[in-house]
């Protein structure tokens, strides 16, 4: 297939890759009206066989992983073989349920007991549900759901991937990620960029591509080539080389060509991210999404556990700054231990700082852990709150941070109200960082997890840029620094616009820093200001992009 036959999605994590497809199958639920088993004893026997086959698969996997993973898989296999589980299935079969429904009901009973027991057992609920999902799929004659165990490098293709699934992917074997759904600012896209895996979302009919089909993926342009011919493969390699060349040889603290400094920082979510990013040429951490540490936890992490992980993160950055965001739970990042129950509109509900106000115990434990780790490492730790809407909330958070012995406090500006009233919000704290992902979601009234709304969520939306300008104006009035840590910061062309609007730090997946640094080095501050003006004067995101590209250095076409 030639370059003309590319399919188009949205590139969300740069880089190119060629490899065979491995499809991720979604979990299947038992049929809604599954008929009662006509022979409960025979069905019970069948379920035992299926559970044994699931246990055997897990044993098989255990033989090929490291010691820690081995223990978990062995424990999960034991749960599949637990006679108590089969006996609970028998009970549901006898009461008139079909086999898949009986497995589901029996597993959920066990999960409830595990959750009530708390601690280690509660942490096993995810594994137990994995056993259930495999058993239900096998009973229905389907393939196991989830990310298959990879033995060879592959391009992972899915309808969508949950952030927890993405976090569990093996970086050494996943060449690229392609999803049919998912938005460019979804947490899956963010994680892929952080892990340095090329990724494309919103690829039409991606799930219909057969396992083993070879794909060539360009995570910058969003192009995907099915069964690429040698010429297409060669073109992809050339693209990578051109981009690498355009990155030039800039290093160290970033600045525009006339010397205006812009701190380039890393977004991280785990200690491993910190260790990877800490080894790179970045000025520190601009956003540590602490909730990423605990996505699969059923119980709240202890103080000691948090001190240990924060210490590891701060050590990776030495004396460089470390901006830590307190838990941003809720909406698309639910944390089981911070669940406040069903909400009609979770993105507009008790998420972020609002949840911390409801559960101050969680916030205080986290702040104590951060203060302890900061003291132990002597790091420049700055703490910021997610989802701040008002100056009162900013003041409440600042008080709590100071009470816990942390000197530097900031807020995220991701709610339009906070952007419009940034002067008052910033009067309460030391700095702000604009979360353009949520700010776009709330400005355009478009759910960021809904890939079909990607056009509205485009960070080039002039309305979004107007709000960034308003926030920067508030920062200037209050005499406080303001950064951007949403995905907008990682677009080299848009980074110039943000700089022109008055932003003084940009935080992104560490792998994106070289391109943004190169872009800044090619332009002076007055040009960035002119670009900002042109973008805000435009009528649409595309017009804004075109207008800015018209003012940009010719090498920018290879950087974007
Ligand atoms: C944002 O909203 O832009 C942001 C940086 O936070 P998150 O993506 O984690 O919601
Ligand atoms: Mg956000």
């Amino acid at each position: 297939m030639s370059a003309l036959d590319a399919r188009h999605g949205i590139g969300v994590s740069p880089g190119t890759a060629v490899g065979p497809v491995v499809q991720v199958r979604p979990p299947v639920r038992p049929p809604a009206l599954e008929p009662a088993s006509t022979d409960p004893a025979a069905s019970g026997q069948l379920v035992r066989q299926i559970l044994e086959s699931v246990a055997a698969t897990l044993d098989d996997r255990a033989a090929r992983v490291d010691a820690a993973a081995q223990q978990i898989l062995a424990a999960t296999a034991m749960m599949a073989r637990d006679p108590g589980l089969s006996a609970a299935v028998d009970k549901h079969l006898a009461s008139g349920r079909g086999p898949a429904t009986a497995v589901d009901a029996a597993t959920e009973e066990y999960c409830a007991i595990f959750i009530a027991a708390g601690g280690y057992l509660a942490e096993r609920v995810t594994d137990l549900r994995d056993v259930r999902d495999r058993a239900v799929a096998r009973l229905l004659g389907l393939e196991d759901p989830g990310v298959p165990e990879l033995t060879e490098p592959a391009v992972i293709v899915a309808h969508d991937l949950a952030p927890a699934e993405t976090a569990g992917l093996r970086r050494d074997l996943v060449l690229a990620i392609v999803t049919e759904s998912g938005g460019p600012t979804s947490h899956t896209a963010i994680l892929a960029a952080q892990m340095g895996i090329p990724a494309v979302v919103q690829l039409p009919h991606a799930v219909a591509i057969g396992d083993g089909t070879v794909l060539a993926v360009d995570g910058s342009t969003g192009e995907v080539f099915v069964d690429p011919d040698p010429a297409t493969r060669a073109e992809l390699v050339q693209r990578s080389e051109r981009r690498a060349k355009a990155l030039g040889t800039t290093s160290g603290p970033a600045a525009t060509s006339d010397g205006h400094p812009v701190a380039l920082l890393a977004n991280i979510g785990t200690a491993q991210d910190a260790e990877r990013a800490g080894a790179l040429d970045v000025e520190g951490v601009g956003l540590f999404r602490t909730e990423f540490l605990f996505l699969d936890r059923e119980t709240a992490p202890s103080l000691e556990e948090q001190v240990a992980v924060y210490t590891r993160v701060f050590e990776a950055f030495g004396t460089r700054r470390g901006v830590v965001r307190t838990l941003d739970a809720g909406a698309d990042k639910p944390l089981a231990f911070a669940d406040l129950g069903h909400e009609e509109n979770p993105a507009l509900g008790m998420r972020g700082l609002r949840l911390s106000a409801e559960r101050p115990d969680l916030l205080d434990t986290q702040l104590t852990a951060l203060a302890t780790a900061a003291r132990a490492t002597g790091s420049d730790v700055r703490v910021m709150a997610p989802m701040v809407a008002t100056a009162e909330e900013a003041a409440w958070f600042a008080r709590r941070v100071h009470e816990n012995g942390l000197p530097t406090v900031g807020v995220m500006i991701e709610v339009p109200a906070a952007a419009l009233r940034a002067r008052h919000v910033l009067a309460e704290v030391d700095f702000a960082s604009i979360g353009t992902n949520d700010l776009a979601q709330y400005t355009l009234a478009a759910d960021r997890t809904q890939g079909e709304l990607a056009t509205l969520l485009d960070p080039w939306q002039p309305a979004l840029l107007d709000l960034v300008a308003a926030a920067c104006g508030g920062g200037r009035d209050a005499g406080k620094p303001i950064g951007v840590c949403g995905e907008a910061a990682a677009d080299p062309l848009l980074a110039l616009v943000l700089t022109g609007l008055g932003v003084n730090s940009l935080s992104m997946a560490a792998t994106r820093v070289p391109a943004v640094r190169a872009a800044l080095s090619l332009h002076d501050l007055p040009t960035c200001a002119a670009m900002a003006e042109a973008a805000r004067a435009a009528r649409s995101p595309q017009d804004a992009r075109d207008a800015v590209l018209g003012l940009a250095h010719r090498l920018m076409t290879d950087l974007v």
Side-chain angles (χ1 to χ4, degrees):
M1 183 171 266
S2 79
L4 294 175
D5 300 316
R7 294 201 199 173
H8 289 266
I10 302 173
V12 293
S13 177
T16 57
V18 181
V21 166
V22 168
Q23 286 277 355
V24 177
R25 293 183 171 75
V28 271
R29 301 291 304 143
L33 297 171
E34 190 183 26
S37 167
T38 48
D39 183 348
S43 295
Q45 212 33 51
L46 174 67
V47 168
R48 277 176 178 75
Q49 277 166 16
I50 295 266
L51 286 170
E52 174 52 39
S53 74
V54 170
T57 300
L58 297 170
D59 282 344
D60 194 40
R61 282 180 63 181
R64 280 173 279 130
V65 293
D66 63 32
Q70 217 167 60
Q71 268 188 7
I72 293 175
L73 287 168
T76 312
M78 258 173 70
M79 290 192 284
R81 291 195 176 100
D82 182 350
L85 180 62
S86 316
V89 173
D90 287 341
K91 186 186 74 185
H92 286 288
L93 287 167
S95 75
R97 291 190 150 118
T101 317
V103 167
D104 186 52
T107 320
E108 278 311 308
E109 271 173 22
Y110 260 60
C111 289
I113 295 167
F114 281 17
I115 290 168
Y120 174 82
L121 276 183
E123 294 310 319
R124 302 278 69 79
V125 162
T126 313
D127 304 329
L128 193 51
R129 291 196 173 126
D130 180 51
V131 168
R132 172 201 61 192
D133 290 344
R134 287 172 191 272
V136 167
R138 290 183 191 196
L139 277 165
L140 300 173
L142 301 169
E143 297 210 37
D144 282 5
V147 182
E149 193 203 359
L150 297 181
T151 49
E152 310 233 310
V155 175
I156 292 289
V157 180
H159 180 72
D160 198 4
L161 280 178
E165 283 175 315
T166 312
L169 291 177
R170 285 187 53 178
R171 289 179 76 241
D172 55 335
L173 291 180
V174 177
L175 298 168
I177 299 170
V178 174
T179 65
E180 185 161 324
S181 170
T185 56
S186 68
H187 286 97
T188 292
I190 289 168
L191 276 166
Q194 235 153 255
M195 295 163 85
I197 302 175
V200 171
V201 300
Q202 288 289 306
L203 186 79
H205 312 298
V207 298
I209 303 171
D211 276 319
T213 308
V214 173
L215 293 188
V217 180
D218 185 337
S220 300
T221 61
E223 285 166 294
V224 175
F225 306 89
V226 181
D227 289 328
D229 60 16
T232 307
R233 289 172 184 236
E235 157 66 13
L236 239 65
V237 172
Q238 280 164 16
R239 277 186 201 177
S240 295
E241 287 169 358
R242 267 202 313 274
R243 284 176 194 146
K245 195 161 158 228
L247 289 184
T249 52
T250 59
S251 62
T256 55
S257 59
D258 54 341
H260 173 72
V262 181
L264 300 187
L265 306 160
N267 287 354
I268 61 165
T270 62
Q272 290 89 329
D273 284 348
E275 280 152 9
R276 273 195 297 271
L280 301 175
D281 186 5
V282 298
E283 289 186 50
V285 173
L287 170 63
F288 176 13
R289 289 181 165 99
T290 55
E291 65 282 356
F292 277 10
L293 293 168
F294 309 120
L295 285 174
D296 60 352
R297 291 287 303 249
E298 296 288 329
T299 53
S302 68
L303 177 65
E304 298 68 32
E305 196 181 335
Q306 292 192 59
V307 171
V309 69
Y310 301 149
T311 302
R312 216 176 127 191
V313 168
F314 299 157
E315 276 171 350
F317 279 87
T319 54
R320 288 174 284 177
R321 84 173 78 162
V323 178
V324 183
R325 180 174 71 187
T326 52
L327 286 181
D328 184 18
D332 62 330
K333 287 179 288 192
L335 296 182
F337 59 87
D339 184 16
L340 297 179
H342 173 76
E343 292 180 303
E344 288 300 331
N345 290 306
L348 301 180
M350 283 291 188
R351 58 161 294 198
L353 185 64
R354 299 168 191 178
L355 197 138
S356 293
E358 251 343 84
R359 291 286 310 271
D361 54 316
L362 289 177
L363 179 64
D364 284 336
T365 307
Q366 183 170 32
L367 293 174
T368 309
L370 288 168
T372 310
R375 271 195 304 276
T377 55
S379 298
D380 173 11
V381 175
R382 311 174 189 187
V383 181
M384 68 178 177
M387 287 291 296
V388 171
T390 65
E392 287 90 339
E393 287 177 356
W396 178 84
F397 181 72
R399 227 179 10 257
R400 275 201 118 90
V401 171
H402 291 144
E403 278 165 12
N404 277 283
L406 288 153
T408 312
V409 59
V411 292
M412 288 200 63
I413 293 190
E414 39 191 359
V415 176
L420 292 168
R421 308 294 296 183
R423 183 157 62 97
H424 295 97
V425 171
L426 270 158
E428 306 293 342
V429 292
D430 304 307
F431 70 95
S433 186
I434 306 174
T436 46
N437 308 333
D438 275 316
L439 191 56
Q441 151 162 277
Y442 295 125
T443 303
L444 279 301
D447 185 340
R448 65 190 271 194
T449 65
Q450 228 164 301
E452 318 84 80
L453 302 177
T455 316
L456 286 171
L457 291 160
D458 189 328
W460 284 87
Q461 283 286 356
L464 177 65
L465 299 178
D466 282 349
L467 279 173
V468 173
C472 289
R476 264 192 301 276
D477 290 348
K480 304 280 172 66
I482 198 153
V484 168
C485 61
E487 295 317 285
D491 172 342
L493 197 59
L494 191 48
L496 300 174
V497 171
L498 298 172
T499 302
L501 289 171
V503 159
N504 23 49
S505 66
L506 295 165
S507 193
M508 64 205 81
T511 49
R512 305 247 198 173
V513 165
V516 174
R517 185 193 281 119
L520 287 166
S521 74
L522 291 171
H523 301 86
D524 59 16
L525 190 57
T527 305
C528 293
M531 288 171 160
E533 208 174 306
R536 287 185 66 199
R539 197 175 150 272
S540 69
Q542 194 52 49
D543 287 354
R545 211 181 262 111
D546 290 346
V548 171
L549 205 49
L551 297 171
H553 191 286
R554 62 178 171 74
L555 275 183
M556 285 303 290
T557 45
D558 285 336
L559 284 178
V560 294

